[in-house]
Amino acid sequence: MNKLFILVITIFITVSCSNNDSKVKTISDVESFLEKVEQEDKTLGPVASSAYWISSNFITYDSQKIVADFGKRYSLMSVQRANEAATFDNLDLPEDMRRKLDLIKGGFVMPAPLDETLAGELANIESELGAMYGSGTHCFSENDCYDLEAFEQIIDSSRNPDELLKAWTGWREIGKPMKDKYLRMVEIGELGAKDLGYDGLTDLWFSKYDMPAEDFLDDTDRVWEEVKPLYDALQCHVRDRLHEEYGDDIVPSEGMLPAHILGNMWGQSWANIYDIVFEENPNAESIDLTSIIQERNLTEIEMVEIAEDFFLSLGFEPLPDTFWERSLFVKPVDRNVVCHASAWDLDPATKDVRIKMCIEKNAEDFVTIHHELGHIFYYQAYNHLPSVYRSGANDGFHEAVGDLLALSITPDYLTQIGFVTEEKAEAAEQDPIALLMKQALDGVVSLPWTLMLDKWRSGVFTGEITKDNLNSSWWELREKYQGIASPMERGEEYFDPGAKYHIPGNTPYTRYYLAKIMQYQFHEALCNEMGFEGPLHECSIYDNPAAGVKIRDMLAMGQSKPWQDAFEALTGERALSGTSILNYYKPLQEWLEKENEGRSCGWE
Ligand code: X8Z
Ligand code: ZN
């Protein structure tokens, strides 16, 4: 008996001595671990970022090979780190240290299991899918080829239903070959998420919000119920106008909107069909920002400079010279790049921040430039923090900053920067419904889309959606949430989700839903802080020092505190709410309700 006891003790000691992880841990072990993480991020981070930058700016066989190799090594290193962070689970730690460890444990989107082969396979698929989207083209015949931008030119401006359908289906051809790769990627990612201690990818993705995943998801649904009546009224009015324009064959007077005639490849913004949807009062003078940009002959760089000026007016630091030298602003003619706009924080130590965007000279891209600069000024604002905290308070905050400023591109602001005369601005303000309609066709229209996208993805992750209903489930969700239907039968040979950047690119999408709601909460709070008394759509935070301080202070917190704290610092509230967006669009909602009288709204 005694001998057996001694044997057990010996084995235990041998094991515990040879396995560093199970020796008693102390706070100083945590400190050295966090220091190691900081150092690794400082040395490896910038090189990995450069590999990604090259692979998105020059999509070639070799650049994809390099990025896949980096992806594999970085992913294995991150999983090892997360595992090491988990060895401190039972230690009683100060709040700040615990937060850092939790962020290290949960900082994944598509984690690999700790296995060289699987991590390699995952990284290869990710780089392949990204390249398939970025260099995607479809040819109808030998000399009739289109990339995304060429297809978008048709979708954004044509009013010919046949031409629109051809462009809409043409772009979706690029999704087909992604299907099996996508499913395999999810399969490996699920293993990785489970290895990290999550129930799966859905649990991992929605556990990042400083509250239990279920509560977070309930909150996003609750807010959707609040704002849905506004969306429904808009969908009903737009359907009526499109019915009038295209007739019964294309748009029936009841039910859903066909996806190909909405002026956007994904139907996520209907701003390009504003002229169909809203008949302006012939005496009112509306402001057409696209025409102004073109008449003033602005270059792409000047468009970015104007957006930068907005941030500078709020007291932000100017962009470094390297931003202007290293960013990509114009689509290159001679190589494949990922044109989808993005903002990069390549090396915090040298303040190497950049955007990559194929800018078109129109209002939509002018707003997107503000969006991208929102990311860049966030990077600059939290540059002083340790690497684990260099992130948005949550991912929605990062998406909301530039959009928040874009809400302030009011007629009054355009006067201040010399784009329109005071008389013209006053005349435009005489027709608030025109102004609000233009905004709503983007700001309200995108809401159900930004919510449904991850509902689909989450279904794929949990296995509720399978290979057999991958495409039909996508359309079921689009119908349910957006009241949009595909213009033709889309069987399982198609993979329509793959035709949207964030699916092959693995970018979580709920962040945009959060941003689209929160930006109105921010806007309303800042306008109150400024003592602005008019309607919210006339309020501009441009050049307002009080608004500047509030925003800068919130951004400087990075991810160092639960997002509710950052949110409270700016808004005085701690929860997502639909009230501000509804306040903003109140006059439009009332107008829509009158217009819709006698129409049979809604869809099955
Ligand atoms: O992807 C983006 C940004 C880059 S973070 C251009 N957005 C979403 C999209 O294009 O679908 C901004 C709005 C929604
Ligand atoms: Zn963004």
Side-chain angles (χ1 to χ4, degrees), residues 75-90:
S75 154
L76 288 171
M77 187 191 85
S78 310
V79 176
Q80 265 154 358
R81 253 190 203 179
N83 290 347
E84 196 172 341
T87 62
F88 304 113
D89 277 356
N90 297 326

Side-chain angles (χ1 to χ4, degrees), residues 164-207:
L164 286 165
L165 187 60
K166 188 176 162 193
W168 189 91
T169 49
W171 174 244
R172 280 162 179 74
E173 286 296 306
I174 69 134
K176 281 182 181 171
M178 294 180 186
K179 182 173 167 169
D180 290 338
K181 292 182 197 297
Y182 188 80
L183 285 170
R184 177 64 182 149
M185 176 181 74
V186 170
E187 202 173 16
I188 302 176
E190 277 291 315
L191 293 176
K194 285 176 184 149
D195 280 359
L196 289 169
Y198 292 89
D199 287 344
L201 289 167
T202 295
D203 186 29
L204 167 68
W205 279 30
F206 295 112
S207 294

Side-chain angles (χ1 to χ4, degrees), residues 539-601:
C539 168
S540 178
I541 61 170
Y542 176 68
D543 208 16
N544 187 285
V549 170
K550 281 264 171 189
I551 302 176
R552 291 195 330 263
D553 285 354
M554 182 178 83
L555 303 200
M557 292 168 74
Q559 202 177 196
S560 63
K561 292 276 163 1
W563 69 264
Q564 293 86 345
D565 291 5
F567 198 65
E568 189 173 19
L570 200 148
T571 64
E573 296 164 29
R574 294 186 66 82
L576 213 58
S577 154
T579 308
S580 299
I581 187 170
L582 290 175
N583 286 344
Y584 186 97
Y585 289 110
K586 190 158 183 265
L588 176 71
Q589 190 164 8
E590 285 166 0
W591 181 88
L592 285 168
E593 273 156 18
K594 278 210 192 83
E595 284 290 302
N596 287 335
E597 271 170 22
R599 293 174 181 158
S600 126
C601 292

